[in-house]
Amino acid sequence: MSITETTPVKSHSWQREANEHYVEPFWCSERLFAEEKFEGTIWDPCCGFGRIPDSAKNAGLEAYASDIVDRGYRDIALVRDFLNFTITRGPNIVCNPPFNIAGRFAGHALALEGVSKVAMIFPTARLNAAHWLRQTPLARVWLMTPRPSMPPGHTIAAGEKPGGGKMDFCWLVWTKGRVGPADLRWLRRNP
């Protein structure tokens, strides 16, 4: 193919989902658990359809799932707003939070006693404007490739198959007590 030729991109645009419920492909959490070391229980406080807790269990980790809305995940333990929790359900919080309040989510997760590590999916394009990150113990940024498609939950529930994504995403990983700049790494779907 010459430089001037292009290939068509299959991507979708969707209407915003209530409660910011967007669904990541399984490989995003499967690859995170393969590359990032976690000790102890994984808590996903916005579990949605349960992809992150299922990936944690498949990686041999114990998982606890909660969400603000019950979306039918068979192993959901509690329906409650994460920002109202005052005690932790495990030393690791791993989630795909509502991006419009990601800073509040991260701050709350890091403030919970007993939490030692937090990992959240975040739109890469928003990193430059995420000034709240400067005051956090950010340890790693895992850039996900290829670009994952993260459609709203209602499209997945309706059986639609997402195509290529339009946005880049990363995992932000915090470790309490971390000092110094964050490492930048690649998280490839096919290692």
Side-chain angles (χ1 to χ4, degrees), residues 84-156:
N84 292 329
F85 276 89
T86 57
I87 59 171
T88 185
R89 300 298 193 241
N92 305 290
I93 294 175
V94 181
C95 62
N96 180 357
F99 301 139
N100 60 341
I101 58 170
R104 285 180 53 207
F105 245 73
H108 186 69
L110 290 165
L112 288 172
E113 190 172 327
V115 171
S116 57
K117 187 180 253 188
V118 176
M120 293 181 2
I121 293 175
F122 193 70
T124 307
R126 293 188 186 184
L127 285 173
N128 291 348
H131 301 290
W132 54 270
L133 286 170
R134 284 186 259 165
Q135 306 305 319
T136 67
L138 186 63
R140 271 168 298 294
V141 176
W142 289 96
L143 301 172
M144 290 189 266
T145 186
R147 179 181 290 144
S149 182
M150 294 199 196
H154 69 268
T155 64
I156 298 295

Side-chain angles (χ1 to χ4, degrees), residues 1 4 16 18 24-25 28 38 40 48-50 71 74 91-92 96 103 115 117-118 129 131-132 143 162 184:
M1 176 175 6
T4 57
R16 292 195 77 78
E24 72 285 347
C28 297
F38 291 92
F49 298 143
R71 294 186 170 84
R74 71 191 173 285
N92 305 290
N96 180 357
V115 171
K117 187 180 253 188
V118 176
H131 301 290
W132 54 270
L143 301 172
L184 182 64

Side-chain angles (χ1 to χ4, degrees), residues 62-77:
E62 184 178 331
Y64 182 88
S66 65
D67 205 325
I68 194 168
V69 175
D70 184 349
R71 294 186 170 84
Y73 178 50
R74 71 191 173 285
D75 291 336
I76 192 166

